[in-house]
Amino acid sequence: MAIEFSKKPGIVAYLTAGDPDLATTRDIALAAIDNGADVIELGVPFSDPLADGPVIQRASERAVARGVRLTDVLDLAKGLRAARPAAGLVLFSYLNPVVRMGMKTFCSRAAEAGADGVLLTDMIVEEAGEYLAEMKTNGLAPIFLAAPTSPDARLKAIAAVSQGFVYAISRVGITGTQQKVAGDASELVTRLRQFTKLPIAVGFGISNAEHVKAVGEFADAAIIGSALVALIEKSPAKEAATAIGQFIAGLRT
Amino acid sequence: MSASSIAGVTATVAGRFGAYGGRYVPETLMAALEELEQAYAVAQKDAAFQAELDDLLHHYCGRPTPLYFAKRLTEQMGGAKIYLKREDLLHTGAHKINNALGQGLLARRMGKQRIIAETGAGQHGVATATVCALLGLECVVYMGEEDMRRQELNVYRMRLLGAEVRGVSAGSATLKDAINEAMRDWVTNVRTTYYILGSALGAHPYPTMVRDFHRVISREARMQMLEQEGKLPTAIVACVGGGSNAIGAFYEFLPDANVQLIGVEAGGRGTALGEHAARFQKVGGGLPGVLQGTYSYVLQNDAGQVSSTHSVSAGLDYASVGPEHAMLHDSGRASYVSCSDDEALKATVTLSRTEGILPALESAHAVAEAVRLAPTMVKTDVLMVNLSGRGDKDMGILARELNLKGSERAKG
């Protein structure tokens, strides 16, 4: 269990946990791992996903409506860890469900579930004191977002506290597909490189093999989110795992 | 460790109100928030900026607003003397213009040509559209579709002023959902766009900045009260949605320990989660949490999902509350009560018929509390209600809910 990108570029697969249901998310995650995803990001559904575009908003809304909770996502992570001991596993959440559970409880339960790391969308480094302390106590990797708008001083601070990998946002905006990888992305990765030896993964709008190849030229890994969630949305639940497996297998050609 | 300790570790970070406030946003917005914080700090100390703001507040908006002694209402209640701080008389019909104008001038100074805003009741949207017309700026306003339906007049007003109104259908299609969509726009267009947030909410520096632009309410009221009554009020009552009019009305009185500060939340139609917007009421489901950039009380279920809310008043229909109010609540410096939809509707009729003043449904919550409180006080007590807005925009709701025939008369 570790966050490692053995093949280049690495693949990080984001899934909204509990969409269409928790059992299907488990099957999808296993298929993604078995077809080449190095890291699974399990997204905790939240009522107000303000950094997300329409695709992940809809998935989140469906999962919240089904009553999927942070504890369910932790259980899902535990099951995935047992089934795939070597896969990278990251919990991806907005802050409020974590605050509601309590930061200390959340971090110890995440570690107990076998997660490698955590990414909290609306947690910035300046506010992260207690979070970082709890992550350290529990041996978990805190993963932070770096944005094209972040000046060098912020990138330096982000790099200093990150572990596992740094999540470089490919462009300004919310999650969702785009035609091609923005020029912002390579410039950001170049600037980040000055401050860290950690792998740098690029996400937001990465949706096909061409994008993954483009990212592979300047970064360590590509993060695919909305494209997977959209494919799950349009697939019947029974076929979703197969569809995602094939899709992931086709990303690194 | 309690949930509230999340924000306790970095007390030196600016924009903290006790444990509350701070900055909880996607990293993409951080540079913009830092730029805004700096630009605001410089503008605050710039005499020319302040002079232009003061001049427009006076000649364009109509400040100072009167502090009006409501004689007939006072007589009818038979207790404390009731004064109304008449923010409803401001240009565009509510206190919201104080902040929209301040931030609009700041945006122009920062060279931003595109303005976005969210609105609930439409008063902040109208104020922002007005300021954009005045300053020649592009304006996009996000508004929940439910709010567009119930505040239809304000939607047309914004369009008339040249703003684009974008409906939001997500969630309960009210203020919270409009803020989410405005923040998504801001994240996407952050390099060219200024977000005029309309309440004392969101990530630092918004709660401080919005409060500062509304401080003029209590600055005037304090002087007017001393001039007209020769003493400070016994209590000040203001409605609290996000809490901008209330913090503006409270702020200059904070050091006056014997002036009671009372915020009135929307009690809606019941105490069950989803039936109200009373974040501070013990039975209501409000607990410290993070929503839309700030740490404050949030109506939520036990899994941390933010609750839907209900109020007859679109401007109070919001799941969280400004972080400074959270601090004032915990410290006990201010107290927070709630009034139901029915009490607010009744108070609207009472004020209309005793004083000839039609309050906005938001402000009617404060009037309702005053009506409840005044008879319990003695005649030498003085109660000030911040009448944050006028009720013309609510005529459709009032006609439907009250169905008055015109022959009824309020007593007295």
Side-chain angles (χ1 to χ4, degrees), chain B residues 27-169:
Chain B
E27 172 65 23
T28 307
L29 292 179
M30 278 306 297
L33 287 168
E34 286 174 348
E35 181 195 4
L36 177 59
E37 182 180 17
Q38 283 159 15
Y40 175 59
V42 174
Q44 248 187 326
K45 289 179 199 138
D46 181 347
F49 177 85
Q50 291 300 335
E52 185 176 13
L53 177 58
D54 289 347
D55 181 70
L56 284 168
L57 284 174
H58 180 51
H59 293 104
Y60 185 70
C61 301
R63 299 215 75 93
T65 60
L67 180 70
Y68 167 72
F69 173 50
K71 186 163 173 284
R72 286 209 345 123
L73 183 64
T74 298
E75 284 168 5
Q76 188 175 321
M77 295 305 131
K81 290 179 84 170
I82 301 171
Y83 278 83
L84 307 176
K85 178 62 174 163
R86 300 290 308 274
E87 294 296 293
D88 61 312
L89 291 177
L90 278 175
H91 182 43
T92 70
H95 72 292
K96 294 290 186 188
I97 192 84
N98 298 326
N99 167 58
L101 184 61
Q103 288 199 56
L105 291 173
L106 186 59
R108 191 185 62 182
R109 187 186 162 96
M110 291 169 73
K112 308 276 186 184
Q113 285 295 314
R114 181 175 182 268
I115 301 294
I116 57 169
E118 85 296 338
T119 197
Q123 288 303 115
H124 174 60
V126 165
T128 303
T130 298
V131 167
C132 288
L134 176 70
L135 301 178
L137 302 170
E138 183 190 345
C139 183
V140 175
V141 179
Y142 290 92
M143 188 169 189
E145 287 180 353
E146 165 65 13
D147 290 341
M148 287 177 74
R149 191 186 56 72
R150 58 180 165 168
Q151 306 278 229
E152 194 184 352
L153 286 174
N154 274 344
V155 175
Y156 191 72
R157 247 172 118 190
M158 287 184 268
R159 288 177 174 153
L160 181 67
L161 289 159
E164 181 192 343
V165 182
R166 293 189 186 165
V168 179
S169 59

Side-chain angles (χ1 to χ4, degrees), chain B residues 180-252:
Chain B
N180 284 339
E181 212 50 42
M183 288 187 76
R184 289 183 186 117
D185 181 314
W186 199 32
V187 167
T188 307
N189 301 295
V190 63
R191 288 169 170 140
T192 58
T193 297
Y194 184 105
Y195 179 15
I196 301 190
L197 186 55
S199 196
L201 299 166
H204 177 66
Y206 282 106
T208 302
M209 184 167 70
V210 174
R211 176 251 280 156
D212 286 350
F213 286 132
H214 286 303
R215 275 172 74 171
V216 63
I217 301 171
S218 50
R219 198 178 311 135
E220 287 174 7
R222 199 173 184 286
M223 286 191 302
Q224 290 165 323
M225 197 55 91
L226 288 172
E227 202 176 288
Q228 292 169 232
E229 270 295 317
K231 63 181 182 187
L232 294 176
T234 315
I236 297 169
V237 184
C239 65
V240 183
S244 67
N245 92 80
I247 203 69
F250 291 172
Y251 196 74
E252 299 288 338

Side-chain angles (χ1 to χ4, degrees), chain A:
Chain A
M1 54 183 277
I3 296 169
E4 277 172 14
F5 301 108
S6 48
K7 281 179 276 181
K8 296 289 156 116
I11 302 281
V12 179
Y14 168 93
L15 302 170
T16 299
D19 178 52
D21 57 72
L22 287 159
T24 304
T25 304
R26 175 190 158 90
D27 292 343
I28 293 169
L30 295 176
I33 294 164
D34 295 343
N35 284 280
D38 303 283
V39 175
I40 299 293
E41 282 181 351
L42 281 182
V44 178
F46 182 50
S47 52
D48 293 86
L50 57 79
D52 285 301
V55 169
I56 295 178
Q57 281 178 51
R58 286 197 300 270
S60 205
E61 202 172 314
R62 285 190 296 266
V64 169
R66 293 183 69 90
V68 176
R69 309 157 62 94
L70 177 53
T71 55
D72 299 320
V73 183
L74 288 163
D75 290 344
L76 174 63
K78 197 170 192 170
L80 288 174
R81 171 54 68 223
R84 296 293 182 275
L89 203 51
V90 171
L91 297 169
F92 193 106
S93 184
Y94 287 86
L95 250 170
N96 200 57
V98 169
V99 172
R100 187 71 186 83
M101 178 177 278
M103 187 59 82
K104 195 184 177 80
T105 306
F106 167 73
C107 290
S108 74
R109 288 195 57 185
E112 197 183 291
D116 298 300
V118 173
L119 191 156
L120 299 175
T121 318
D122 40 3
M123 176 67 94
I124 57 164
V125 287
E126 289 89 338
E127 304 282 5
E130 182 193 343
Y131 167 60
L132 289 171
E134 291 299 334
M135 292 291 282
K136 191 175 177 188
T137 303
N138 289 284
L140 291 165
I143 297 159
F144 285 89
L145 299 169
T149 48
S150 309
D152 283 358
R154 294 197 59 81
L155 294 184
K156 191 176 178 182
I158 288 163
V161 296
S162 293
Q163 288 177 44
F165 63 91
V166 181
Y167 188 132
I169 301 174
S170 72
R171 53 164 164 75
V172 296
I174 51 180
T175 59
T177 54
Q178 62 188 351
Q179 289 300 310
K180 57 178 199 153
V181 179
D184 278 355
S186 66
E187 194 225 312
L188 171 60
V189 172
T190 306
R191 289 198 295 129
L192 259 174
R193 276 277 173 251
Q194 307 170 73
F195 307 114
T196 185
K197 293 194 166 57
L198 286 172
I200 298 173
V202 173
F204 279 40
I206 311 299
S207 59
N208 57 39
E210 193 192 329
H211 293 162
V212 170
K213 187 165 179 261
V215 166
E217 281 166 21
F218 58 86
D220 303 291
I223 304 164
I224 328 288
S226 296
L228 300 180
V229 176
L231 184 55
I232 293 164
E233 184 177 47
K234 73 175 188 190
S235 304
K238 279 183 197 161
E239 293 162 27
T242 310
I244 293 297
Q246 282 169 359
F247 184 87
I248 300 262
L251 285 175
R252 227 165 5 197
T253 48

